[in-house]
Amino acid sequence: MIPAQFQYAAPASIPDALALLQSNPDAKILSGGQSLIPLMKFRLAQPAMIVDLNNIGGLDYLRDEGGWLKIGALTRESQLEDSALVREKYPLLYDTTLSVADPIVRNRATLAGNLAHADPANDHPATMLAYRAQVVATGAKGNRTIPIDDFFQGLFATSLASDEILTEVQIPAPKPRSGGAYMKMERKVGDFATAGVAVQLTLDAAGKVEYIGIGMTNVGLQALRAKRSEDALLGELPTAHFIERAGLFAQQDCDPNADLRGSVEYKRNLVRVLTMRALEKAVARAKGNG
Amino acid sequence: MNVTININGKEYSDDVEPRLLLAHFIRENANLTGTHVGCDTTSCGACTVLVDDVPMKSCTMFAVQANGKTITTVEGLAQNGKLVPIQEGFHEKHGLQCGFCTPGMMLTSVAFLKKNPHPSEQEIRWAISGNLCRCTGYVNIVEAVKYAAEKMAEAQNG
Amino acid sequence: MAEAMGFGHSVKRKEDARFLRGRGNYIEDIKFPGMLWLDIVRSPFAHAKIKSINKEKALATPGVAAVITGADLVPYKLAWMPTLMSDQQMVLPVDTVMYYAQEVAAVVATSRYAAADGVAAVEVDYEPMTPVLDPHKALESTSPVIRADKQSNRIWHWEVGNRAAVDDELANADVVVAEDIYIPRIHVASIETCGCVAKWDPVEGHLTLYMTTQAPHAIRTVVALVTGHLGLMEHKIRVISPDIGGGFGGKVPVYPGYVLATAASVLTGAPVKWIEDRTENLQADSFARDYHIHGELAATKDGKITAMKMGVVADHGAFDAAANPSKFPAGLFSIATGSYDFQKAFAEVDGVYTNKPPGGIAYRCSFRVTEAVHAIERMVDVLAQKLEMDPADLREKNFIKPEQFPYKSATGWEYDSGNYKGALDKAKAMIGYDALRQEQKEKRAKGELMGIGISTFTEIVGAGPSHTFDILGIKMFDSAEIRIHPTGKVIARLGTKSQGQGHETTYAQIIAEELGIPEDDVAVEEGDTDTAPYGLGTYASRSTPTSGAATAVACRKIKDKARKIAAYLLEAREDDLEWEKGKFFVKGAPDRAKTIQEIAFAAYTNHPQGMEAGLEAVDYYDPPNLTFPFGAYICVVDIDRGTGQVKIRRFVAVDDCGTIINPQIVDGQIAGGLTMGMAPALLEEIVYDENGVNLTGSFSDYLLPTAVETPKWEMDKTVTPSPHHPFGAKGVGESATVGAPPAIANAVVDALSHLGVTNIDIPITPPKVWAILKEKGVAL
Ligand SMILES: Cc1cc2nc3c(=O)[nH]c(=O)nc-3n(C[C@H](O)[C@H](O)[C@H](O)COP(=O)(O)OP(=O)(O)OC[C@H]3O[C@@H](n4cnc5c(N)ncnc54)[C@H](O)[C@@H]3O)c2cc1C
Ligand code: FES
Ligand code: FES
């Protein structure tokens, strides 16, 4: 499996990268390369030019800043995995990262690339939906911030323009009494999800759900938000009854395809089970015992 | 494009196509054939090398991306002809059969033990889960990593 | 001086030194100046007419030296080649492609990259045809016959046993059970794929073929048979099998790529390398299994099995390119009587052509033994369920007893030795069987699903004997040639070929045991047809039973001569000498001794007059019988009612492979085998869509277990030496692959047996399990 030929550029700055993208409409951005290079090897992607971001300094940060966790475009999965901040304050992100690919791929793969690739099978999109994260797109005209709900535009499609770079991911810092969890069913390590469910929630002082986000992986053409499931819980005590309702809504609202990973019926049920389990774990974590 | 890559302490320069995979540069241009290729989908880890001390699947990186970087392959593990603990561990614990996955397994393990010098069985299993072995059933690979951890701890304390 | 260790010692592997340093010499590591690369254009259809192939763009691609099509091979009579099963197989199709990913054309270029570009530039115009994919339908009279050179899609019918007696018993028995069991298509997927470097010397008319083969000598003969008409004779062919990155049966057959590289080398005059990628490997190389089995057992109501019947439809793909002994198109499936004592058995197998890749190789087992074992071990559980008996008790009741060996089976085999109850007792004790049954009862009451599965399997390995076993007429003996140098050091060459089994160490240990020469002083060489004695190669766990035996016998021949030399040197009579590991001494005078090293020196410097100089021997060992390793495996699983996920909680494996040469290597073989048994039970399957397109052509969908999915195996042994093998060994490389799948399947079915589930076909995937839970109303 040998990629087709292409031109290669590794600019040292964002402006240089943007200039290259503008003058080469067929160019593709290369970050971790863990999605793009396999596609190129199978010649399913044959970009005329590769604009490699890896030589741009200062993009591999993780910052707790102004109520946001800010993650740079070249921050690798393994950095998230190794970060005490992520482990302690962002358990949903931590769970998700650990479920992506395998430890070696994670040394190279980026969160930004995971979102920009917009593969419904990727794990981070659902998680970002659950967090109501936002991404910063940098183009010739400067930066714009895109709420995650507006970011995914179907299979492998995002609202990024072809000459824009996703430069930063911003996750709102969870309030006290927050918890989150990612539940993924995979056939083996390194497999994409049969289905995955991301839950992030905050409880109020009375233990009622004050904030909730639920995202679903690989059960639609893009990562989906389980809105009815969220509504079912919002303002309620997260009791078995409401958790079950949320699960049922998720089962109805997802839109999976039958494939080697299972039938539509199986996947829908899986979404229900995973939603319930993720909710239980998130609640436990919010209560400080997860 | 011209690239210069330091592999195991030696510089290798060549004029290469941008599409040349790092694994092929190491094997063909640098003639270091201990790095293997076992799949097309970044799944098997037979091609794992250390790029600036971090394990990477060299089949999923272009050689031009390694320009100016420092790479360690299996050939660079032994020091002055003496096996390092992970190699000793694989030998003592029979951690290899056909040997095809072994270079990748050892390089992954070396980096892992640096991060986590006293791993549990389960942590080792997760750490090598990006490397496939078809022969051993992993039992003795896990034992080999444990052996190396102990050896390294002894060397530290002793 | 290093010490001779011999049997029972975990001698550290001699071959490790190079692998640990990245100095192995695998096929892809072999290169020559001026070498060209070959890459292959493959069919996107499972069945299609080739309307035209346009090479022009490919030939114009920088670096491309040649494009070869089927039409180009016809004048040389190379468009077809014989298979090991006396069928023929296309090297390249001339007008019709027979399966998805079939080789359609070859591109030869100056680099791997240029060759790939050339492949992308070859334009093939296909006219798709309807593929025949279901082997049952292929057997119907209305089915199109897919092979133009054949009358029917039925390749052969094979049967063994007494059909009438069995049918009679089935009609009259107290209890009869029947079950359909499918063992799907799987792939060995060694981490190293297949490949070769063909180096043709036009001046000498000599071909050196470096190739990933488990059977280099057989390959040399086959190549000579294929190319003899072109003047390439066997003495002009040298096959070298370098270090092999895992074989498991996948490197026994001859693939079109090997032939194409050879043809390309002859055509271009340059060495040509072909290395398949993983996708090609999974899509086109020989598969294993694909057996549709209908099993029936008859028994008395108190659980004595009285008869067995097995009917099989075997999907062989478009060509019968299995690698079975000639008289055994269905391999050793007739071992399906298992470890049990009953005298009425019948088995029949129909081989069928379909539009799928050819194969039928072994996947780390001896010729269809896994299929046989899976069938009988599952059927015994089905019977236990029907009789409401504990499956361990039912097995015990039917075991062949130690005193019944040698035991003649109803299908004609003579089992050499066994102690099945001994192994099962040990496994039950290790796992705490009775407590587990108690726990299961309690869990069931709470609605939790846990199962315990047993497999008490018997293998049949080590082919020959040669009166029964041959491949393309070549008898299945194997060989060893041992030379002792004047300084007492040794070179041993064998007809087998290690692919990771550790032959360089274990053969050295046999020599150490027999001659008392330290392992360190022994060099073991395999895989070069110019130097090694003729042999049939390594597969079917035959190395220790055959070449291992040959090594021992050759050592004994050497010892006979050494005794003569020692007698001469010690001025004693031969029968006054006694042997003690490494030396002869005069009875009653232990200090009057000559070491084997001293004797070796004398063999070249001071040997008795009239005796030939030198100290060496060759043995072509033809085993009097096969060997019958066995074991008892017990597996405990828990099932997640929400996801259908099966988790192996514990797995105990008690194996008996007779005499153990190197315990560490044996354990390594078993752990690896267990993992390759677990994988098809839970993960692996080659799947085609309704058009015959392979949906599992990469490691993203053909699922090899990682260390995380692999349970921590608990292993132990019993030792029942083979009575006919020179040192009692039986072979161990494959037992676990054979024994593990039914243990796992039985455990899962056991977890669900109270719901009326009697069988689940492997791989037992979460969606499959969940669908059953749903149907039975117990899914969460
Ligand atoms: C064996 C294997 C298993 C995997 N399993 C999983 C899994 O279980 N879950 C999962 O989520 N992922 C999985 N992945 C995918 C992996 O996480 C990818 O790395 C990720 O999807 C893409 O990140 P990347 O940095 O590698 O992006 P790249 O491969 O470099 O790029 C991917 C795409 O995004 C574009 N892009 C990249 N960065 C930017 C940017 N900053 N701005 C704009 N566009 C950009 C590229 O042009 C390209 O189209 C797996 C990968 C492999 C090889
Ligand atoms: S060859 Fe790189 S992961 Fe398989
Ligand atoms: S030792 Fe053969 S693949 Fe690991």
Side-chain angles (χ1 to χ4, degrees):
Chain A
M1 289 288 150
I2 303 294
Q5 288 169 336
F6 57 83
Q7 280 191 306
Y8 175 81
S13 73
I14 298 267
D16 288 355
L18 291 172
L20 282 161
L21 289 171
Q22 270 184 328
S23 48
N24 297 281
D26 290 337
K28 270 255 170 216
I29 294 169
L30 181 70
S31 293
Q34 303 300 291
S35 287
L36 185 54
I37 297 177
L39 286 174
M40 291 172 71
K41 287 206 276 183
F42 281 88
R43 300 197 176 196
L44 295 171
Q46 301 198 19
M49 180 181 220
I50 283 293
V51 177
D52 184 354
L53 301 186
N54 287 283
N55 281 4
I56 304 176
L59 288 183
D60 59 348
Y61 55 84
L62 248 174
R63 274 186 221 127
D64 195 1
E65 193 177 273
W68 297 89
L69 175 65
K70 297 185 173 172
I71 300 169
L74 284 180
T75 304
R76 317 281 170 182
E77 299 279 0
S78 56
Q79 284 171 268
L80 303 177
E81 195 176 327
D82 292 345
S83 151
L85 174 66
V86 172
R87 197 170 52 242
E88 281 151 25
K89 255 182 95 180
Y90 298 86
L92 167 60
L93 178 60
Y94 184 69
D95 282 1
T96 311
T97 294
L98 282 181
S99 78
V100 166
D102 65 52
I104 311 179
V105 169
R106 291 201 295 271
N107 284 334
R108 189 88 186 140
T110 66
L111 170 62
N114 197 292
L115 300 179
H117 192 47
D119 183 338
N122 276 357
D123 293 300
H124 284 296
T127 289
M128 294 304 134
L129 289 172
Y131 273 125
R132 309 267 209 288
Q134 55 192 26
V135 303
V136 178
T138 305
K141 294 194 211 88
N143 290 346
R144 63 184 179 116
T145 302
I146 310 173
I148 202 71
D149 280 326
D150 301 336
F151 184 71
F152 301 109
Q153 302 288 325
L155 194 62
F156 299 112
T158 69
S159 50
L160 287 175
S162 66
D163 57 356
E164 273 181 327
I165 300 173
L166 196 174
T167 47
E168 189 174 277
V169 179
Q170 302 179 341
I171 301 174
K175 301 211 177 98
R177 289 189 302 276
S178 289
Y182 189 64
M183 288 278 170
K184 172 179 179 177
M185 178 78 181
E186 58 182 6
R187 298 172 299 178
K188 55 167 279 196
V189 172
D191 189 22
F192 287 96
T194 304
V197 176
V199 168
Q200 178 67 25
L201 52 74
T202 307
L203 304 178
D204 66 14
K208 291 194 173 155
V209 177
E210 153 186 301
Y211 165 84
I212 179 145
I214 303 177
M216 303 184 283
T217 300
N218 215 10
V219 286
L221 290 183
Q222 64 184 59
L224 301 174
R225 236 181 95 183
K227 291 214 182 65
R228 285 203 300 155
S229 309
E230 293 175 1
D231 292 345
L233 278 156
L234 200 62
E236 307 288 353
L237 284 172
T239 56
H241 167 75
F242 287 109
I243 287 177
E244 214 160 289
R245 261 172 79 86
L248 273 173
F249 283 138
Q251 177 174 23
Q252 290 162 8
D253 295 347
C254 64
D255 187 18
N257 277 326
D259 59 17
L260 291 174
R261 292 183 175 82
S263 64
V264 170
E265 191 192 15
Y266 173 69
K267 290 185 183 182
R268 281 189 185 279
N269 186 72
L270 193 56
V271 165
R272 184 180 59 80
V273 169
L274 296 179
T275 302
M276 288 166 52
R277 290 181 185 176
L279 280 166
E280 281 157 12
K281 195 161 179 187
V283 169
R285 281 173 169 171
K287 291 180 175 165
N289 41 19
Chain B
M1 295 183 72
N2 255 308
V3 292
T4 301
I5 306 176
N6 181 311
I7 310 179
N8 307 328
K10 191 171 158 203
E11 306 244 298
Y12 294 84
S13 296
D14 218 333
D15 185 17
V16 303
E17 283 190 280
R19 63 170 168 166
L20 181 70
L21 299 171
L22 177 58
H24 291 150
F25 181 92
I26 294 168
R27 292 185 48 80
E28 312 280 341
N29 302 59
N31 254 317
L32 296 165
T33 54
T35 301
H36 300 145
V37 173
C39 73
D40 317 322
T41 46
T42 321
S43 312
C44 76
C47 61
T48 305
V49 301
L50 304 183
V51 180
D52 293 337
D53 293 330
V54 181
M56 303 261 172
K57 295 186 175 180
S58 65
C59 71
T60 313
M61 226 179 129
F62 297 115
V64 288
Q65 295 188 280
N67 191 19
K69 301 220 182 292
T70 299
I71 286 179
T72 307
T73 68
V74 62
E75 290 93 339
L77 280 178
Q79 295 300 317
N80 307 318
K82 198 175 148 7
L83 298 185
V84 291
I86 194 70
Q87 290 169 305
E88 258 180 55
F90 270 74
H91 185 52
E92 289 295 323
K93 296 294 173 183
H94 186 32
L96 66 155
Q97 291 183 20
C98 79
F100 204 74
C101 70
T102 313
M105 284 286 182
M106 292 196 301
L107 289 160
T108 299
S109 305
V110 163
F112 167 67
L113 287 176
K114 245 188 214 165
K115 251 184 166 175
N116 185 349
H118 306 288
S120 67
E121 159 113 16
Q122 219 38 34
E123 285 169 336
I124 297 171
R125 285 181 177 261
W126 279 100
I128 59 170
S129 63
N131 298 78
L132 295 175
C133 175
R134 196 59 158 164
C135 301
T136 64
Y138 303 105
V139 177
N140 289 341
I141 295 180
V142 173
E143 294 304 317
V145 178
K146 285 187 198 161
Y147 175 100
E150 278 161 30
K151 266 284 154 108
M152 287 158 70
E154 272 170 35
Q156 283 254 299
N157 302 335
Chain C
M1 196 176 80
E3 209 188 320
M5 306 295 278
F7 293 166
H9 294 276
S10 290
V11 174
K12 301 303 161 208
R13 295 204 324 170
K14 293 156 68 73
E15 44 271 82
D16 286 0
R18 62 181 184 276
F19 297 130
L20 290 169
R21 293 171 172 83
R23 299 294 284 274
N25 186 36
Y26 300 94
I27 194 70
E28 202 177 335
D29 305 341
I30 292 167
K31 54 174 135 182
F32 296 102
M35 188 176 76
L36 300 175
W37 284 80
L38 182 134
D39 201 349
I40 293 175
V41 179
R42 291 180 184 270
S43 170
F45 299 104
H47 201 191
K49 281 255 168 298
I50 297 176
K51 286 163 67 181
S52 65
I53 300 179
N54 186 342
K55 306 178 179 179
E56 263 167 52
K57 277 194 192 142
L59 285 170
T61 303
V64 170
V67 177
I68 303 170
T69 65
D72 299 328
L73 296 177
V74 170
Y76 303 99
K77 296 201 174 70
L78 281 180
W80 291 78
M81 63 178 183
T83 72
L84 296 177
M85 296 311 299
S86 303
D87 193 357
Q88 55 171 356
Q89 173 178 0
M90 293 174 188
V91 175
L92 290 177
V94 178
D95 50 23
T96 311
V97 293
M98 301 292 285
Y99 55 89
Y100 176 76
Q102 185 180 345
E103 300 77 2
V104 170
V107 174
V108 190
T110 50
S111 75
R112 181 201 307 261
Y113 285 64
D117 291 344
V119 163
V122 173
E123 295 167 321
V124 187
D125 193 5
Y126 298 95
E127 185 182 313
M129 298 158 70
T130 311
V132 175
L133 299 169
D134 179 337
H136 297 283
K137 292 213 178 105
L139 285 177
E140 288 167 10
S141 56
T142 49
S143 170
V145 174
I146 66 166
R147 286 275 296 270
D149 57 332
K150 302 279 171 184
Q151 260 69 58
S152 153
N153 291 329
R154 188 190 312 271
I155 313 172
W156 39 257
H157 172 87
W158 168 92
E159 61 177 59
V160 65
N162 186 336
R163 186 198 295 263
V166 167
D167 283 346
D168 187 52
E169 185 63 34
L170 286 167
N172 298 305
D174 293 351
V175 184
V176 173
V177 287
E179 198 68 55
D180 287 316
I181 299 167
Y182 176 51
I183 307 181
R185 218 169 236 249
I186 53 175
H187 199 287
V188 298
S190 50
I191 304 298
E192 178 198 47
T193 60
C194 296
C196 70
V197 180
K199 193 163 171 265
W200 167 249
D201 180 337
V203 178
E204 302 291 338
H206 183 277
L207 173 73
T208 309
L209 188 54
Y210 301 83
M211 126 182 212
T212 44
T213 177
Q214 299 174 224
H217 282 98
I219 294 297
R220 186 186 69 195
T221 304
V222 172
V223 173
L225 293 173
V226 177
T227 57
H229 65 281
L230 300 172
L232 189 52
M233 310 287 185
E234 198 161 1
H235 66 301
K236 297 280 193 183
I237 304 167
R238 179 179 184 187
V239 177
I240 297 180
S241 182
D243 286 328
I244 300 281
F248 313 117
K251 289 169 181 165
V252 177
V254 178
Y255 297 119
Y258 299 136
V259 180
L260 288 168
T262 304
S265 181
V266 174
L267 184 78
T268 60
V272 174
K273 180 185 261 187
W274 167 66
I275 305 289
E276 66 182 4
D277 58 38
R278 176 59 57 194
T279 307
E280 299 178 286
N281 171 262
L282 288 172
Q283 291 183 340
D285 282 7
S286 284
F287 68 90
R289 319 272 193 260
D290 216 345
Y291 257 34
H292 301 255
I293 303 171
H294 181 75
E296 290 172 81
L297 285 184
T300 61
K301 52 180 174 303
D302 59 348
K304 188 79 193 72
I305 301 170
T306 52
M308 177 208 86
K309 187 175 183 181
M310 299 278 179
V312 182
V313 171
D315 187 341
H316 274 259
F319 310 103
D320 188 8
N324 287 316
S326 304
K327 298 193 191 79
F328 297 87
L332 307 180
F333 186 73
S334 51
I335 195 70
T337 52
S339 310
Y340 311 105
D341 179 22
F342 51 86
Q343 282 307 319
K344 290 176 186 163
F346 178 74
E348 60 182 335
V349 182
D350 285 290
V352 185
Y353 290 125
T354 60
N355 288 114
K356 292 182 204 150
I361 49 130
Y363 189 103
R364 200 170 185 159
C365 85
S366 173
F367 316 119
R368 303 291 190 186
V369 171
T370 313
E371 288 87 329
V373 164
H374 195 74
I376 184 67
E377 288 303 307
R378 278 269 50 245
M379 288 310 297
V380 167
D381 262 42
V382 173
L383 179 63
Q385 207 174 327
K386 172 99 173 206
L387 292 166
E388 294 179 10
M389 261 180 94
D390 184 294
D393 295 344
L394 180 65
R395 283 179 167 79
E396 267 185 43
K397 182 154 196 154
N398 288 284
F399 278 152
I400 302 162
K401 305 202 166 40
E403 60 274 16
Q404 287 176 278
F405 292 94
Y407 173 85
K408 190 94 179 166
S409 83
T411 54
W413 300 112
E414 187 178 295
Y415 291 25
D416 64 348
S417 59
N419 180 1
Y420 305 143
K421 182 167 169 355
L424 180 57
D425 285 346
K426 189 162 199 172
K428 280 170 72 177
M430 275 170 76
I431 207 156
Y433 186 74
D434 297 333
L436 284 169
R437 284 285 172 212
Q438 186 55 36
E439 181 191 344
Q440 183 184 35
K441 209 179 277 170
E442 288 157 16
K443 288 234 157 106
R444 269 191 188 167
K446 290 189 279 181
E448 290 172 37
L449 299 175
M450 125 183 206
I452 306 151
I454 303 175
S455 152
T456 46
F457 62 95
T458 292
E459 271 200 290
I460 172 169
V461 308
S466 70
H467 54 75
T468 315
F469 292 98
D470 68 85
I471 286 186
L472 287 179
I474 307 165
K475 302 287 191 185
M476 295 189 75
F477 54 82
D478 228 296
S479 60
E481 178 196 283
I482 299 172
R483 287 193 193 154
I484 322 270
H485 304 314
T487 53
K489 313 294 175 189
V490 180
I491 179 140
R493 295 186 168 114
L494 304 106
T496 48
K497 175 65 203 169
S498 181
Q499 309 124 42
Q501 294 90 335
H503 288 179
E504 288 168 49
T505 308
T506 46
Y507 286 142
Q509 280 181 267
I510 298 171
I511 293 169
E513 178 75 23
E514 293 285 339
L515 292 178
I517 296 174
E519 283 85 353
D520 276 357
D521 292 353
V522 180
V524 172
E525 229 185 66
E526 298 175 301
D528 183 342
T529 56
D530 266 13
T531 57
Y534 204 98
L536 271 281
T538 293
Y539 42 85
S541 293
R542 65 189 298 281
S543 296
T544 302
T546 59
S547 270
T551 304
V553 174
C555 284
R556 289 170 196 179
K557 290 180 186 172
I558 285 172
K559 218 154 59 181
D560 287 345
K561 181 167 179 182
R563 177 186 291 271
K564 291 194 169 65
I565 298 173
Y568 168 75
L569 295 175
L570 292 167
E571 296 177 358
R573 283 171 22 153
E574 277 180 52
D575 23 338
D576 281 340
L577 295 184
E578 252 181 273
W579 171 258
E580 183 196 284
K581 212 169 180 182
K583 61 176 184 234
F584 280 107
F585 64 92
V586 180
K587 268 180 213 162
D591 50 338
R592 280 184 64 203
K594 286 289 167 192
T595 65
I596 187 77
Q597 288 80 7
E598 289 167 328
I599 296 167
F601 195 68
Y604 296 89
T605 58
N606 178 26
H607 56 287
Q609 278 229 319
M611 180 190 271
E612 261 184 70
L615 194 55
E616 60 182 69
V618 186
D619 189 68
Y620 288 82
Y621 186 80
D622 186 357
N625 189 4
L626 295 113
T627 60
F628 295 76
F630 61 93
Y633 293 174
I634 306 182
C635 171
V636 186
V637 300
D638 297 293
I639 299 178
D640 181 331
R641 287 167 54 202
T643 62
Q645 181 78 56
V646 171
K647 181 145 179 43
I648 296 180
R649 189 203 305 176
R650 287 186 68 193
F651 194 110
V652 161
V654 174
D655 274 278
D656 193 318
C657 60
T659 303
I660 292 172
I661 303 171
N662 183 320
Q664 195 178 36
I665 289 182
V666 165
D667 278 347
Q669 289 296 307
I670 293 170
L674 287 168
T675 307
M676 274 184 92
M678 179 271 285
L682 296 178
L683 293 165
E684 292 174 18
E685 178 176 14
I686 297 180
V687 182
Y688 296 92
D689 72 7
E690 65 282 5
N691 298 314
V693 172
N694 186 328
L695 300 177
T696 47
S698 80
F699 280 162
S700 314
D701 285 302
Y702 192 79
L703 306 174
L704 269 53
T706 74
V708 171
E709 293 77 42
T710 305
K712 192 167 174 165
W713 309 112
E714 302 169 54
M715 300 177 282
D716 208 339
K717 313 271 163 324
T718 59
V719 177
T720 311
S722 166
H724 63 74
H725 184 274
F727 53 88
K730 294 185 173 178
V732 72
E734 303 167 330
S735 303
T737 323
V738 169
I744 296 168
N746 286 346
V748 181
V749 174
D750 182 61
L752 304 170
S753 58
H754 59 300
L755 305 168
V757 175
T758 55
N759 183 50
I760 307 178
D761 285 334
I762 59 170
I764 300 175
T765 60
K768 232 185 234 179
V769 172
W770 185 81
I772 294 169
L773 299 179
K774 173 97 198 310
E775 187 200 315
K776 302 292 177 190
V778 296
L780 284 182

